Every structure is written in C-alpha cells, then in structure tokens.
Amino acid sequence: MHANLLGFVSMMIFGVAYHVIPRFTGRPLHRPAAAALHLWVANAGLAGMVSGFILRIYRWQPGMALLGTGAVLSAAGAALFIYNIWRTLDVPAPRPAVLPTLAR
Ligand code: HEM
C-alpha cells in the first residue's frame, strides 16, 4: 500500500510542487540541491519501508530495523520538502514583469 501512496501519490505531489511552485509564484526554488537530495532520500526510504513491511510478515527481526530506517528516511525527505518549499515561498513577491510593448 505504501508503495502506491508514498511511492506514487506522494512522489508525484513532491515532483509537481517542485516544478510548478517556482514557475507559478516567480520565486526560484530555495535549494535545488536539497530537492535532488530529497529524491535519493525518499527513494531509499521507500525501498526500506516497503521491504521492511514485506519482511515483517515473516517476523524476521532485521526487517523491523529496515522498516524503521526507511520510515525515518521517508519522514526526513518529507521534512526536507516542506522546509525547501516554505523557504521558497518565504521571500518577497517578485516585481511583475512589464511587457516590452507597454514600456515607454
Ligand atoms: C514518512 C512516511 C510514512 C511512514 C513512516 C508511514 C508509516 C506507517 C506505518 C508504520 C503504518 C502501520 C502499518 C501496520 O502496522 O500495518 C502505516 C499505516 C498506514 N499508512 Fe503510512 N506511513 C507513511 C506515509 C503514508 C502516506 C503518505 C500515506 C497516504 C497518503 C499513508 C497511509 C497509510 C494508511 C492508509 C495506513 C493504514 C493501513 C492499514 O491499517 O491497513 N502513509 N503507515
């Protein structure tokens, strides 16, 4: 279930937000490198969580550690996203562009 909710729905929201928020608001993304880091952290976390959930069925103890690590990584990735978007929006609005034909 989390492969779908976290690995598809949430990832799509993250990706679309990183793409459209800077364009719609005219504010550049605060830390593009943090967004790239989020990609890796989120995918590592997702892999850990999904594997951990599967291994938990067999009551294999290391599976729980994997689940825990994956959960922490997934949460850390989401926190990185929230921080980056918050800092992106927390700057003064850019000046509206003046169309060349109207500038006299
Ligand atoms: C940091 C990310 C997340 C972590 C660490 C996490 C962790 C968990 C854990 C440990 C459970 C209990 C599973 C069990 O004991 O069987 C759970 C259940 C659940 N999670 Fe997440 N989750 C995360 C993100 C999400 C997201 C993004 C969604 C939906 C958009 C979601 C939806 C659910 C639902 C619906 C359940 C209940 C499943 C059930 O009872 O059958 N989770 N989650």
Side-chain angles (χ1 to χ4, degrees), residues 1-2 4-7 9-11 13-14 45 49 53 56 67-68 70-78:
M1 188 183 67
H2 283 81
N4 190 8
L5 292 176
L6 199 58
V9 180
S10 304
M11 294 284 198
I13 292 169
F14 294 146
M49 269 183 72
F53 273 131
R56 193 179 65 163
L67 176 55
V72 169
L73 284 175
S74 297

Side-chain angles (χ1 to χ4, degrees), residues 39-98:
L39 173 76
W40 291 103
V41 170
N43 278 287
L46 179 70
M49 269 183 72
V50 172
S51 317
F53 273 131
I54 292 169
L55 294 171
R56 193 179 65 163
I57 298 168
Y58 304 101
R59 304 197 185 286
W60 192 54
Q61 273 307 312
M64 289 306 290
L66 200 58
L67 176 55
T69 309
V72 169
L73 284 175
S74 297
L80 208 58
F81 169 79
I82 291 166
Y83 176 76
N84 207 359
I85 295 296
W86 168 53
R87 291 297 305 268
T88 299
L89 297 175
D90 191 30
V91 293
R95 290 176 55 182
V98 177

